Amino acid sequence: MVFFFDDRAKKADMLSILGDLIDNWENEVVEFKEAGKDYDKDKIGKYFSAISNEANLKGLQFGWLVFGVRNKTREIVGSDYRNTKGLDTLKQEIAIGTTGGISFIDIIEIYPLVHGEEKRVIMFQIPAAATAIPTGWHDHFYGRNGESLSALSVEELDRIRGQEKKD
């Protein structure tokens, strides 16, 4: 489900989360992309896998992929990604390529004011990999080394697979 926030309290909460993410910047579970009008779905899937696996390894419930923020300057620039195609179908498109058919928890569109102008920001909330099951994208497992996207290391893959499932 894609959320458009009309409720002022919810919008304020999401703007606060965005501000915190920008202040703390990129790490293994947060990635920012400018993502103008188009962004490669395969890259989204790789980031989905990586952020999901890293969130699991850090004991978090989720991580974030954020479109509309310039990586180099931390400036909110806005994104036209799927502005006319719609974001609703992206959840299914990602689920088709992931382990167990998982997809985003939420896709959130907000419009922060930047120098008096509303800029469209899309926040993709990515669930942590399930206990003992790494998240793959087309049967490849991705991770992050700092801000870099890479293959999930054998050690990290073993750590996820070795997790004990709780009843």
Side-chain angles (χ1 to χ4, degrees):
M1 174 175 285
V2 179
F3 291 96
F4 302 91
F5 286 103
D6 293 327
D7 180 319
R8 287 178 193 233
K10 288 180 184 177
K11 182 178 178 182
D13 287 346
M14 292 314 303
L15 289 171
S16 177
I17 290 170
L18 176 62
D20 289 345
L21 292 173
I22 290 172
D23 288 345
N24 293 312
W25 206 235
E26 288 188 348
N27 55 47
E28 286 86 358
V29 295
V30 178
E31 176 68 25
F32 293 96
K33 294 292 178 192
E34 195 165 335
K37 291 186 182 206
D38 197 22
Y39 197 80
D40 183 4
K41 183 176 59 180
D42 189 54
K43 286 183 183 177
I44 294 172
K46 290 176 182 179
Y47 278 111
F48 185 99
S49 169
I51 292 169
S52 179
N53 290 326
E54 296 293 344
N56 170 295
L57 290 166
K58 293 187 177 312
L60 301 172
Q61 293 181 337
F62 54 84
W64 297 96
L65 175 61
V66 181
F67 284 2
V69 178
R70 186 170 290 140
N71 196 11
K72 302 286 184 207
T73 62
R74 300 185 184 199
E75 178 186 1
I76 296 173
V77 294
S79 174
D80 286 330
Y81 178 74
R82 291 199 178 198
N83 206 7
T84 55
K85 275 195 206 173
L87 293 167
D88 290 328
T89 59
L90 186 61
K91 284 184 95 167
Q92 177 60 24
E93 292 170 34
I94 293 299
I96 289 169
T98 59
T99 305
I102 65 171
S103 192
F104 302 104
I105 296 170
D106 287 321
I107 300 174
I108 303 155
E109 258 184 292
I110 59 173
Y111 293 83
L113 280 176
V114 179
H115 307 297
E117 183 181 348
E118 284 189 338
K119 300 286 186 175
R120 180 175 179 252
V121 174
I122 308 164
M123 300 173 65
F124 300 95
Q125 190 176 28
I126 299 171
T131 303
I133 304 170
T135 299
W137 173 249
H138 295 297
D139 299 322
H140 294 280
F141 302 101
Y142 294 90
R144 308 244 313 175
N145 290 318
E147 295 179 21
S148 299
L149 182 66
S150 63
L152 192 64
S153 74
V154 172
E155 182 271 331
E156 291 170 319
L157 196 54
D158 285 347
R159 263 197 290 153
I160 293 174
R161 287 183 173 155
Q163 293 169 346
E164 188 175 315
K165 293 185 180 183
K166 298 174 185 168
D167 290 334

